[in-house]
């Protein structure tokens, strides 16, 4: 849960990013706000679910990209 709160805090402080953002060759973010909402909502409902772990991974990847380009 602490990790989720830290990620949420990071994205709040980072502000809205310009799109498109390419996480990898197969993942393009075209709606930044929707991407965050669609990832945080299921994680808040059940952080420990194995199904939700890719969401955490994508959020961490996005965080690294923002930090690298900031």
């Amino acid at each position: 849960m602490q990790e989720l709160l830290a990620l949420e805090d990071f994205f709040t402080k980072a502000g809205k990013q310009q799109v498109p953002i390419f996480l990898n060759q197969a993942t393009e973010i075209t709606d930044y706000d929707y991407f965050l909402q669609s990832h945080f909502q299921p994680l808040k409902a059940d952080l420990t679910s194995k199904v939700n772990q890719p969401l955490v991974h994508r959020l961490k990847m996005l965080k690294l990209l923002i930090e690298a380009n900031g």
Side-chain angles (χ1 to χ4, degrees):
M1 190 61 168
Q2 185 65 31
E3 181 179 43
L4 183 62
L5 292 174
L7 283 168
E8 208 168 17
D9 185 55
F10 171 82
F11 288 112
T12 298
K13 290 178 180 174
K16 190 170 183 172
Q17 303 296 306
Q18 289 187 340
V19 292
I21 299 171
F22 294 89
L23 290 183
N24 55 46
Q25 290 180 330
T27 307
E28 176 183 3
I29 300 169
T30 57
D31 186 331
Y32 185 76
D33 292 330
Y34 179 74
F35 178 85
L36 293 178
Q37 184 251 335
S38 69
H39 280 58
F40 279 113
Q41 188 174 356
L43 289 171
K44 287 178 182 178
D46 187 0
L47 179 61
T48 59
S49 171
K50 289 185 187 274
V51 172
N52 288 339
Q53 294 315 299
L55 301 176
V56 174
H57 178 71
R58 284 193 294 269
L59 287 169
K60 288 180 180 179
M61 286 175 51
L62 179 57
K63 179 179 182 274
L64 288 173
L65 276 174
I66 292 170
E67 289 172 335
N69 293 320

